[in-house]
Amino acid sequence: MTIYPETFSIAAVLDEVITTVTPLANKNSNQIELQVSPDIVPMYTDLVKVRQIALNVVNNACKFTHHGQVTITADMLADKLILQVADTGIGISPEYMNRIFSEFQQADSSSTRHYGGTGLGLALSKRLCRLLGGDISVVSIPDAGSTFLIALPIVLEVSALLL
């Protein structure tokens, strides 16, 4: 997969993602909150891939939350963007946690029937995070919500792409 690095504002990307998912959030009676640290510098990485990662995770948070809250927090830690997407949704049971980043997997078959989807969004997000030199993880409590943590380098190491 080809990477096209460019300089962009993560705040602008997250605003765009929120605009895209707002109809789903409204349909499910959810509130979305965005908290972007003023210390974040512009990123130099693949804008399209970062947008897709954020869109997949925020869309899932809105889909699996009803009458709740989705909070997106962007901060820097050293040379990494730390993006957290926390929701007050259905959560993920421990027995399904190891599957959610696998292709064509959802927490369980009843989730597929009730919420829809192909089970590809989180698998793709994980691959894209790793392609960009980062990673994604999750902590979750059933019936209380989930928090996805995305860590991506602020500046993509272009020399690593040439290997």
Side-chain angles (χ1 to χ4, degrees):
M1 185 177 292
T2 305
I3 296 175
Y4 299 100
E6 60 185 289
T7 302
F8 60 91
S9 161
I10 191 62
V13 170
L14 295 175
D15 283 339
E16 194 178 309
V17 166
I18 289 172
T19 298
T20 302
V21 301
T22 292
L24 176 59
N26 290 342
K27 176 184 169 205
N28 290 341
S29 302
N30 293 324
Q31 299 296 314
I32 301 177
E33 180 181 355
L34 175 60
Q35 303 168 354
V36 178
S37 170
D39 300 332
I40 294 182
V41 298
M43 294 186 76
Y44 179 75
T45 189
D46 192 310
L47 165 66
V48 172
K49 290 172 181 57
V50 171
R51 182 189 305 121
Q52 188 64 56
I53 293 164
L55 183 60
N56 288 346
V57 176
V58 174
N59 186 67
N60 274 3
C62 290
K63 180 171 33 171
F64 293 103
T65 303
H66 291 264
H67 304 284
Q69 177 76 30
V70 175
T71 304
I72 305 159
T73 307
D75 209 342
M76 279 184 60
L77 180 61
D79 59 348
K80 293 201 181 296
L81 166 73
I82 305 299
L83 183 63
Q84 287 190 110
V85 178
D87 66 60
T88 58
I90 64 171
I92 305 162
S93 62
E95 62 266 23
Y96 295 114
M97 288 287 282
N98 63 344
R99 287 198 237 178
I100 64 166
F101 293 110
S102 299
E103 293 175 0
F104 303 110
Q105 294 292 317
Q106 289 188 334
D108 60 39
S109 60
S110 66
S111 293
T112 304
R113 283 192 306 273
H114 188 266
Y115 296 99
T118 60
L120 288 173
L122 292 177
L124 175 62
S125 295
K126 185 148 190 104
R127 284 189 179 193
L128 292 175
C129 283
R130 289 191 171 163
L131 182 68
L132 298 176
D135 208 353
I136 183 172
S137 60
V138 62
V139 292
S140 186
I141 300 171
D143 301 318
S146 302
T147 299
F148 284 82
L149 180 68
I150 299 161
L152 295 169
I154 291 286
V155 176
L156 183 65
E157 188 63 47
V158 178
S159 63
L161 302 176
L162 302 175
L163 299 177

